[in-house]
Amino acid sequence: MALRTSTTERQRRLGAELKKLREQAGLNVTDGGAFIGMGRAHLSHVEAGRTAIPTDKLRKLCHSYGCTSAPYIDALVSMSETDGKGWWTEYRRLLKPPALDLAELEAAANSLASYESLFIPGVLQIADYTRAIFRSSQQDWSDKDREKAVQFRMDRQKILTTDQPPALHAVIHESALHVRFGNADVRRRQLLHLVRMAKLPHVIIQVLPFTAEGLSAFSTPFLLVESHQSTLHTVLAETHAASAFLHDADSFTKYRSHFHRLAAAALPPLDPDVAAYDHGTHDSLGLVQHILYTLQEH
């Protein structure tokens, strides 16, 4: 039994789901392993994501635990059978595991809900805006590494233009539209890019204005991901210290409730198809147009 020297978020998630099913069935590791002829230590490694589990044993284990949801079991099988390789593989030497895990997670997503307080969401950034962020935050990178990291973020955005793209709902705090990453031209082009992306039928973009009340507690960015036909849910909670992937139902329910409150307090979505005279600063496009006007003065 070969053990992995490092594990991905997907591998840890699969193990965590199997552990959750076992505990819900009221079984210990020894009893769980007995169903599939697997020793206690071996199943412990599976639940920790340190080793794989054959598909037939995975299905038998789920049924032995009393799981009857075929879509959920199929989702676990899909996670187990994939080799985890994708376009992000070539960036392994440069970027840390959380960034690669996010790319893999987004690739399997059918729905994304993003809240950002100081940045435009990564999947909606233009290259020059991303480049300006990295110049200020990754000053120890070489120009070559910085450009490769910029390309990584641009490659992430391709999920929005695939044949079956995930639905994206982004709530962006107004402060992110004012923070200066790049010169006035870069910021103007970034805002115009938001307007263009809002034309996609599966993309909703809202701005949370400074005037919104009672939401100061929600300053920490987070991302809600639904994957495998919404049978699996993940929260990516961002802090200055680290990124945390949360899978438990309570966390997802809490953050989803936060997101609904933020969306309800935000201005109506960007809608480039509405005639200009119908817009004002009371909606997201009107606010973006107002900021664009101020940038033209620079």
Side-chain angles (χ1 to χ4, degrees):
M1 176 181 62
L3 298 182
R4 300 175 176 122
T5 56
S6 62
T7 58
T8 67
E9 173 60 22
R10 173 183 50 80
Q11 292 163 345
R12 292 189 295 273
R13 175 66 182 278
L14 174 62
E17 292 295 321
L18 292 177
K19 181 178 180 180
K20 180 182 70 175
L21 288 176
R22 176 179 58 76
E23 292 178 340
Q24 288 175 343
L27 299 169
N28 59 36
V29 183
T30 301
D31 293 335
F35 286 122
I36 55 174
M38 186 177 287
R40 181 180 186 279
H42 194 167
L43 184 57
S44 294
H45 288 311
V46 170
E47 291 183 351
R50 290 190 290 265
T51 192
I53 179 172
T55 297
D56 58 338
K57 290 190 175 184
L58 172 57
R59 289 188 180 278
K60 184 177 180 180
L61 195 61
C62 290
H63 289 129
S64 298
Y65 289 160
C67 180
T68 59
S69 172
Y72 175 68
I73 295 175
D74 288 344
L76 298 185
V77 169
S78 176
M79 292 175 68
S80 177
E81 291 184 342
T82 182
D83 61 8
K85 294 180 180 179
W87 62 264
W88 53 87
T89 305
E90 66 177 279
Y91 294 93
R92 285 179 176 171
R93 292 186 178 182
L94 173 64
L95 299 176
K96 295 180 180 180
L100 303 175
D101 288 337
L102 173 59
E104 184 177 3
L105 186 63
E106 289 174 334
N110 50 274
S111 175
L112 303 167
S114 170
Y115 170 64
E116 284 287 352
S117 55
L118 294 175
F119 301 94
I120 303 300
V123 292
L124 296 174
Q125 293 177 7
I126 63 170
D128 283 339
Y129 179 90
T130 303
R131 192 171 288 113
I133 292 174
F134 288 154
R135 284 199 186 103
S136 62
S137 63
Q138 304 290 348
Q139 297 181 3
D140 56 334
W141 276 358
S142 66
D143 290 343
K144 180 179 179 181
D145 286 347
R146 184 179 297 113
E147 287 306 305
K148 195 166 182 65
V150 170
Q151 186 57 50
F152 171 81
R153 189 159 293 183
M154 297 303 102
D155 286 344
R156 277 179 55 204
Q157 300 178 7
K158 293 178 182 179
I159 61 170
L160 296 179
T161 53
T162 61
D163 291 337
Q164 294 182 312
L168 171 65
H169 188 172
V171 176
I172 307 170
H173 198 282
E174 184 181 348
S175 58
L177 308 185
H178 293 277
V179 176
R180 297 188 176 185
F181 291 114
N183 58 28
D185 177 64
V186 170
R187 291 155 58 205
R188 182 167 51 249
R189 287 189 287 114
Q190 175 61 77
L191 293 178
L192 290 173
H193 182 66
L194 287 182
V195 176
R196 286 193 297 271
M197 294 302 290
K199 294 182 178 180
L200 296 175
H202 53 283
V203 174
I204 296 174
I205 300 174
Q206 292 179 266
V207 177
L208 183 68
F210 289 126
T211 54
E213 297 182 1
L215 294 171
S216 60
F218 304 120
S219 59
T220 303
F222 61 89
L223 175 69
L224 304 178
V225 183
E226 296 186 21
S227 63
H228 298 85
Q229 302 305 312
S230 298
T231 57
L232 297 176
H233 307 82
T234 302
V235 178
L236 174 59
E238 300 278 6
T239 68
H240 292 297
S243 300
F245 291 92
L246 309 174
H247 312 131
D248 61 286
D250 288 344
S251 292
F252 188 83
T253 299
K254 181 183 72 172
Y255 276 93
R256 182 169 55 186
S257 176
H258 290 349
F259 186 82
H260 288 164
R261 289 184 61 189
L262 291 163
L267 297 171
L270 285 173
D271 188 356
D273 294 328
V274 174
Y277 56 76
D278 287 333
H279 284 287
T281 55
H282 62 281
D283 66 11
S284 294
L285 183 57
L287 180 55
V288 168
Q289 290 174 330
H290 174 72
I291 297 174
L292 282 169
Y293 178 78
T294 63
L295 289 172
Q296 291 175 354
E297 297 177 349
H298 288 77

